[in-house]
Amino acid sequence: MSWLPKSPKARRRLWVVAAVAPVLALAVSLSLYAMRDNVTFFFSPSEATAQTAPTGRVIRLGGLVEAGSVVRGANGEVAFAITDNAATTRIVYQGDLPDLFREGQGVVTQGAFLPDRSFRATQVLAKHDENYMPREVADRLKAKGEWRPEGGAPAAGAASR
């Protein structure tokens, strides 16, 4: 075997690496396999099709709250629509909305699509001040050429990570 090193010390190191590498590869692959269901993808309303965001899969859906779409039910349920100015998705949320939630503002919702393609949110996140829009929402709106920050300057949270 001419490819093996001649030094016993180097040969021992090679055997240790050869033994550890498959164990490490197995550990990494098992970890990634176990975490596959914990990955939450982000979509805008126009990207959330039945193929990319199937019924029952937990995703994040972000956009602007459509003006005039917020309807509050008697049992604490709130229905509203979010848009990216290309498509609109109806959101149903049970619970208290963030204090800064309002029409025309950026939000990110987490939940799953129902069979009727409405979105049942388990969490709603709203912007925290006048200069911030969730980065994912701003990036999607910028990519479509639809979002214009007030004053012409980029939003504080949208440009940097």
Side-chain angles (χ1 to χ4, degrees):
M1 294 189 155
S2 63
W3 58 272
L4 286 175
K6 295 198 187 282
S7 164
K9 193 173 188 179
R11 191 176 290 190
R12 191 172 32 242
R13 253 189 246 136
L14 180 65
W15 284 114
V16 168
V17 169
V20 169
V23 173
L24 184 61
L26 180 65
V28 168
S29 62
L30 286 175
S31 296
L32 292 174
Y33 180 76
M35 290 187 296
R36 76 188 183 288
D37 290 334
N38 293 333
V39 174
T40 305
F41 293 102
F42 176 83
F43 295 98
S44 67
S46 60
E47 296 171 336
T49 63
Q51 292 77 27
T52 59
T55 300
R57 182 175 183 190
V58 175
I59 65 166
R60 287 190 176 159
L61 189 64
L64 301 173
V65 178
E66 198 168 55
S69 68
V70 179
V71 178
R72 297 179 190 274
N75 60 353
E77 189 171 90
V78 180
F80 57 95
I82 61 171
T83 183
D84 61 358
N85 294 328
T88 301
T89 301
R90 183 174 172 266
I91 310 291
V92 178
Y93 178 67
Q94 177 75 34
D96 294 328
L97 289 169
D99 291 337
L100 297 173
F101 177 89
R102 61 184 171 272
E103 296 174 354
Q105 298 296 321
V107 296
V108 174
T109 59
Q110 182 169 322
F113 277 101
L114 301 175
D116 66 353
R117 294 307 290 169
S118 65
F119 190 79
R120 171 64 71 172
T122 56
Q123 185 177 26
V124 175
L125 306 170
K127 68 180 205 138
H128 70 276
D129 68 15
E130 290 302 317
N131 297 320
Y132 177 79
M133 177 178 288
R135 183 177 63 253
E136 296 93 348
V137 174
D139 290 345
R140 302 297 165 114
L141 291 174
K142 284 178 184 178
K144 294 183 182 309
E146 297 290 337
W147 180 63
R148 312 268 190 280
E150 291 139 47
S160 63
R161 189 161 233 214

